[in-house]
Amino acid sequence: MKRLLLLLNLLFLTALLQQAVAQDRSISGQVTDRANGQGLPGVTVLVKGTTIGASTNADGGYVISVPTSATTLSFSSIGYLAVERPIGTASTISVALSTDAKQLGEVVVTGALGIQRQERQVGYATATLNTAELTQARVTNVTNGLAGKVSGLQIQTTNNGVNPNVRVTLRGSRSLTGNNEALIVIDGVISTNDVLVALNPDDIASVSVLKGANAAALYGSQASNGALIITTKKGGTTSQVTLSQTSQFESISFLPKFQTEFGPGSPDWYNNSANAKAGLFFDPNNNVDDYTYQYQGYENQQYGPRYDGSLRPFGQTLADGSVQMLTYEARPDEKRKFFNTGYQMQNGVTFSGGDEKTKFYTSYQNLHNNGIVPKDKFDRNSFRFNASRDFGRLNVGFNVLYSQQVSDVTSNLDRNTSVYWNVFNTTSLAPLTSYKDYVNNPYAEPNYGYYNAYYYNPYFILDANRTKDRRNTIQGNVDVSYKFTDWLRVQYRLGTTSIGQSSLTTQNKFSLAPGSPKQIASYPGFVQDLNSNLTRLNSDLFVSMDKTFGDFNVQAILGNNVQQLDSRYNFVASTALATPVTGDNFNLSNRIGNLNGSDARARSRVYAFYGDVTVGYKNFVFLHGSGRNDNISILDPENRSFFYPGVDASIVFTEAIPALQEVSFLDYGKIRGGITKVSQVNLPAATGTGVYNTGGAYSLQSTYSLGSGFPFGNLASFTANGGVVQPGLIPENTRSIETGIEFSFLQHRAAGAFTYYTQKSTNQTVSTSISGASGFQTYLLNAGEVQNHGIEVDLNLVPVRLNNGFTFTVGGNFNYNNNKVISLPNDLPQLVLNGSGVSGQTSNADLYAIPGKSFPVLQGSYYERTDDGLIKMMRVTDPNDATLVRYAPVKATDNKIFGNTQPKYKYGFNTSFTYKGITLAGQAELRTGYVVYNTIGENLDFTGSGQRTAQYGRQDFVFPNSAISTDGGQTYVPNTDGLTPGGSEFWANTANWNTGVAENYVTSGKFFKIREVSLSYTIPTALVSKVALVKGASVNFFGRNIFTWVPKENIYTDPEFSGVSAGSNAIGVNNILQTPPTKFYGATLNVTF
Amino acid sequence: MKILFKVLFAASLVTAATGCESFLDINENPNSPTSVTPDAQLASALTVTASNYSAGVQNGTSYNSYASFAVGYWGKSGTVSGYSPERTYNYSNTYYQALWNNTYDNLTDYNIIQQNGTANGYPNHAAIARIMKAYNFLLLVDEYGDIPYTNALQGATNTSPSYDKAADIYKDLIVQLKGAVTDIDAVDATARGVGNEDVVFRGNMKKWKQFANSLLLRILLRESQTSDAALTASVTSEMKTLQSAPDGFITSDVVVQPGYAANSNQQNPFYNRYGYSVGAINTTSEYSFVMPTNYIIAQYQNKNDPRIKQLYTVGKRTVNGTAVPQYVGTDLGEPSPPRFVSTDATVGSRWLIGGTFLRAPGAPTVLMLLSEHLFSKAEAETRNLFTGGEVAAKADFLDGIKASFVTTFRTTTALADINASTLATTTVGVSEYTTYIDGNTTNALVNYDIAPSAGALGKQSVIIYQKYLAENTLASTEAWDDFRRTGLPKFKISLEATSPTLPSRLIYPQTEVSTNQVNIPKGTDQFTKIFWDVVD
């Protein structure tokens, strides 16, 4: 559409030029983009106060003849701030234009099917970000470049690492157990979230965010979650080569708060023991102790004596009888020093060119990432080739991406193989980083040396547990369109996304040497070889018309869509190696016992017909309606065809109401509103087996699977799986209503938008937990209702815009989303979400849907309280002395709701300063109004490495806000001096007192992050052009996530993280297998030839 | 190019307009069967029952590990922290909650076998399933009391089934077991038999009838001591019928043996959990987490019981600087229990690798011990529920001890070696049995004749005591049930107990609270007694 507008401009200008008379001198020059110094084509150059004008050519050059009376030239182009220059006596006038804050109404929106519309025409909320906005801080995953920039859009990095997972949701969660993630569309073709990590962000021309079902309905079922419409770059009319190099460094931004007062040791009830009373905390002979005294240098738990600087044996006795001696003091920096400074490199080259009829764009990028976890590596090589050509009325084009991603990371399968868990649970006494060489260092080797008797040396874990993953992604489409007449066009687009993944997870065999004092489970060693693939085909054939009848303009689309998803995986594994492996010479034949294996394949299809009509009146009133009929293979024949409609309207009231046209400060205003229904078939699809995805196929029948261990020889036997299905499942419906207003004031110095939306999803396809006494554990049925409503506000201001080019912008966006579960299937009182707490790392808390509450809510164990809110204490016995009166808090037998785990309020902030090629831009985000559960807290308390366990100096203490009863629980009085045991027996080892009580580890999820800061400088063309061939150059210094603020109570981790399994909605419980949050700093050099 | 365009256009039109229905008919599941016949389901169901009963595959999933702590066989070692519910009796609704769903899930398989078997001509399979349903429901009732029964196992038809009274379920279990025996008797000789998928009796239906009868005895005895006169009368009459049941009772340990072997997921589940993982040179970590209590060790040591050598490793205690090898247990709840590090002053005992409990990866798993049955029979006789009086009771008491010795000393993993039916002197373990009996002629806990006949329980107490020793870690669930019924034996309560009494049951699980809260009986906790739990 941009090109079309340009064309219109030219036509308009030609008309203007014909009127030009009385010309007597010529002025020439070049108009460049201030951001990158490149020539800007199609800029309108006007002699102020006249209709005399010209337009710049492909390189930004222009020549204009001006009358002698002319004093000022004005330069304007859509998307850029207009500039005026006095003519004086100059014969060349060159200007650099800076991009404008959004000029609402003029912005082009890429909507459904890749059809572009002016924003004024659309009756729903959208947002569009261009390449500069997306990549200013050199993200490696394009969606990270969207974080905080669009109201209603939530980008959540659920885990960190060299190739992090990102979850993209719009306007909250609608579906209880189904998919809530936004649909991903690339160059008009439906793709999949898996492809996001394969894209080179530099290839992206723009991302349009269609926030609600209203905008995306034409894409079909999956659009009820909104959509990200990604458009890749196309060639231009001039040849251009761009080289870019980015180097960035990554470091830990947040570690849990550790205690630095107490060393290793784990005896329960030590405080009042005879030894403690005698002042004995260490073995008097400084021997390696058993559990007689408080200090055990080989303990993983850290409930030992207070640091005192004395010399103590650390670890256990080596085979030669020696033992490491250390000064008994904290070495608090060792944990952070364990992690590397990550280094990332992005090297890219793009080449684009073409002529009036042929355009092409090609690129290559290598991303190399050395993570913060030692030895973690990730490489991505992406190639893109986009081309198109006009053959008269026929236009043919194709876009193709080939991307190869290779990662080599530590496996983090469980406690015994997790790096994070083992590092943060290392005692602060340990000089951890000195144990790197576990082959030669006698105090680091795993049989005797490494101090910890219960866990392995993290450096050893790194080497023994590796996952190597290789993915090849091909994403592309062929696009053919034929213009019958000026107003009627037919277009066919065939696209595919094909991902092949092969993943090898290995563990080397390790058995403790005979006589080793360690109490660690051996590594049996294994090879797990997983191959999975997914191929999605998407075909669209549609006829579109765009014709004006008098004051009316009609745009209509009639089309057919066919989709097919094919996927399969095969998995083969050994469960124990026969002999240890050197290097990475793992092979399935090196094993003991049978091979384990499984495979599956799935196919699903959809065909659909759709229609879409927009009627415009005088270009200020627009009425739009659409309808789509889906036919989907995964449902029963009688339910598989369904239709859903939508309507919306927009009125540019500043043009519709004559009086407003006179209001000089008001540039533009639009109101809009719409209602849409989208039906979605939300059968379970993602599997957690590589990229294998069933697309919901085969969900309608209960199945049997081979019993565990079977076949035993020739005896095979099957067992009924735990799920039952309601006969006659139908799609779930989301009805979405939205209305909004958009406006801009004062020559676009202030622009804003406001949207209110409400969505109701009914007849949800829910896999609900049912009473196990029914013989099954889950029931897939239609039921349940969730309502979301919220507002979105966007405001962009340009407080300063000086003629010398200095511009200061500030913007913000806000989203309030409140969702509520209206009802649940079977009148269930609550529905537990799969993939959350219990099946993950904690058994204290879990995520639920509960009628009348937000979705999802965190519910977990808590302390019993009196009516006044004091925690009830019960009397316990200190085994050292039965006369000692001690109290412990009483854990309630039921669970309590702690709150919703999705932010209710999200704020985004951005600002920029631009002056003469220098741009300083920043972006920040605040999320609030929710809670998270920190599983990590349980682990920190269990080992005693966390700060929380040292808050009472490990002494018996008065439990705050507690009450005790002297009459067997009839009445309670506030506890003022009743002591609670303060050693490991309380903090770690009696779960019901502390670590098993969820309320201890629930914190607010509030955070404020400075997500991006970038300083870029476009080197003046005059300077760089002295170097042969160089047309432009720029440098950019940036930082990402450079500052994270969380409330004081959150001493654990970045609340954005969630240990969620793929495709689950159970967001809000983080776990111990995650890599710590990080920040990035770097620089980029861009050169254009 | 125009031609390409036309082709594409035509192709998509064809796709769109023709054969739409067949285009979408691709919904047949290529990955998993959607129905199976009873013979293809039985082996897995039986193997799962055995695993749930004897060891489970994960923590918190076996009746045996729960009961072994509860009834004083096991304590926590110094190697590990945790086991706080076991030590404090402070149970939560997640404590062993997997038992509930796992057992019902297993029951579903039996239920399907029974329904398909009846409908599609597998009457023997159906009868086996009927017996095994009773076996599993009994496990649930004994841990939870009132549970869903009549409305259970109905899948989508009833997703939140109501609860039945424990005593009523007991009544029906008796009906079901008798019915199963009748079913087997009624099977046409030409009907389909049961083959190797019967991993318990290899298709021997007479043995299934004997098992049903022994299970019936287990059930009747358990509810035989309530103060409910009507129930007692009914037990008495049922016992009378049972004693003369035509097929009699089990004659050997009832075990499951699908072909356990040193392969992943194919090892004996107890061995897999507490012994060695497949291919591992070092034991699993759980092997070092639990250890015998001082109480159970003392029971063997006091009577020079030769069985102890098959059960535990020898630890040591350092006395005045001298290490003395001996069996070392723990008191549940002691602050610093022994570990297994040779340099420690005190080294604890653990289960003997290759001994009774960790015989081999291919060892079978127990569903019912012959010794348990014989002791039950002895109890029925001494209490005059069966005829035969003290003479029969003594004979069965001694056979019970002998059967325990045979089970304890069996050396190989084959099914036949556990068969104690003849209890001949040639059978391994019998000479040790003789040593034990001969060495304890003055011990009233061994010599039946001098056991006190007075007191509340009379000679029942010595029978329960020997049964307790026989069931150690192999069938701890039955010992736990007998303890709750009779209050015997008086093992040591945890030092960290937060209540003066032991728990009496498990709390209804969190999964059930989330899904079926309205039906859960109100006001129960871990101290609420099951209806047959009559002694404190």
Side-chain angles (χ1 to χ4, degrees), chain A residues 444-463:
Chain A
E445 67 85 31
N447 285 305
Y448 292 87
Y450 185 67
Y451 82 93
N452 196 324
Y454 303 99
Y455 289 93
Y456 286 119
N457 181 343
Y459 290 104
F460 168 76
I461 292 175
L462 285 177
D463 281 341

Side-chain angles (χ1 to χ4, degrees), chain A residues 267-269 290-291 298 301 391 394 396 454 480 482 490 492 509 511-512 517 519 521-522 524 539 541 560 562 575-576 592-594 596 600-601 603-607 609 631-635 640 692 697-698 700-704 707-712 715-720 722 724 769-777 779 826 828-830 843 848 874 876 879 891 893 895 942 989-992, chain B residues 1-2 5 8-9 12-13 15-16 20-36 40-44 47 78-79 81-82 84 87-88 90-94 100-101 104-105 108-109 112 148 152-156 158-161 196-197 199 258-260 262-266 278-279 281-283 285 288 335-336 339-341 344-346 496 498 510 512-517:
Chain A
D268 285 354
W269 303 102
D290 55 15
Y291 283 80
Y298 47 77
Q301 284 191 308
F391 300 90
L394 180 70
V396 180
Y454 303 99
V480 183
Y482 184 81
V490 60
Y492 181 73
K509 185 184 181 84
S511 309
L512 289 170
Q519 303 279 342
S522 300
S539 145
L541 174 70
N560 159 252
V562 179
T575 49
I592 295 165
N594 290 341
N596 275 0
R601 61 194 155 93
R603 170 178 284 188
S604 64
R605 287 177 178 153
V606 180
Y607 72 82
F609 296 96
N631 297 272
I632 190 157
S633 70
I634 58 176
L635 292 181
R640 63 169 56 144
Y692 176 64
Y698 323 128
L700 300 185
Q701 278 179 298
S702 301
T703 55
Y704 292 78
S708 172
F710 285 90
F712 283 89
L715 179 64
S717 192
F718 293 84
T719 176
V724 277
S769 295
I770 52 175
S771 166
S774 69
F776 297 86
Q777 292 88 53
Y779 184 33
N826 275 2
L828 274 180
Q830 57 186 24
S843 55
Y848 293 83
M874 61 181 173
V876 295
K891 178 183 170 181
T893 51
N895 285 336
F942 174 71
N989 294 339
T990 311
N992 279 351
Chain B
M1 200 49 86
K2 254 186 178 169
F5 165 67
L8 286 171
F9 184 66
S12 64
L13 273 187
T15 321
C20 288
E21 283 314 308
S22 63
F23 180 73
L24 296 182
D25 280 336
I26 51 165
N27 227 5
E28 195 170 319
N29 192 330
N31 304 319
S32 317
T34 50
S35 68
V36 296
Q41 211 180 341
L42 184 63
S44 170
T47 308
T79 298
S81 312
S84 102
R87 290 183 285 123
T88 60
N90 210 338
Y91 291 180
S92 69
N93 60 14
T94 54
W100 178 278
N101 274 1
Y104 273 110
D105 188 64
T108 298
D109 279 315
I112 294 171
L153 308 181
Q154 296 180 6
N158 191 344
T159 56
S160 49
N196 274 344
E197 67 270 20
V199 292
Y260 293 121
N263 275 320
S264 61
N265 299 324
Q266 292 192 336
V278 179
I281 297 169
N282 308 107
T283 47
S285 10
S288 303
S336 289
R339 299 188 305 164
F340 315 105
V341 179
D344 284 2
T346 303
E496 287 182 56
T498 48
Q510 172 64 40
E512 191 67 3
V513 174
S514 321
T515 55
N516 198 13
Q517 196 161 26

Side-chain angles (χ1 to χ4, degrees), chain B residues 53 135 214-215 217-219 221-222 250 253 366-378 400 403-404 463 467 470-471 475 478-479 482:
Chain B
Y53 184 69
Y135 183 93
S214 293
L215 197 51
L217 178 58
R218 182 190 274 182
I219 291 171
L221 212 48
R222 197 156 291 161
I250 60 167
D253 288 350
V366 172
L367 287 181
M368 183 185 274
L369 290 173
L370 176 63
S371 51
E372 178 215 330
H373 168 72
L374 293 170
F375 287 123
S376 295
K377 197 153 160 272
S404 168
I463 296 170
K467 198 177 180 188
E471 287 167 342
E478 309 313 318
D482 281 334

Side-chain angles (χ1 to χ4, degrees), chain B residues 41 59 76 94 101 117 127 130 243 284 310 329 361 399:
Chain B
Q41 211 180 341
N59 194 25
K76 174 190 94 75
T94 54
N101 274 1
R130 200 172 178 188
Q243 193 179 14
T284 65
Q310 280 291 306
D399 277 353

Side-chain angles (χ1 to χ4, degrees), chain A residues 978-991:
Chain A
L979 291 174
T980 296
S984 55
E985 65 282 350
F986 173 81
W987 293 105
N989 294 339
T990 311

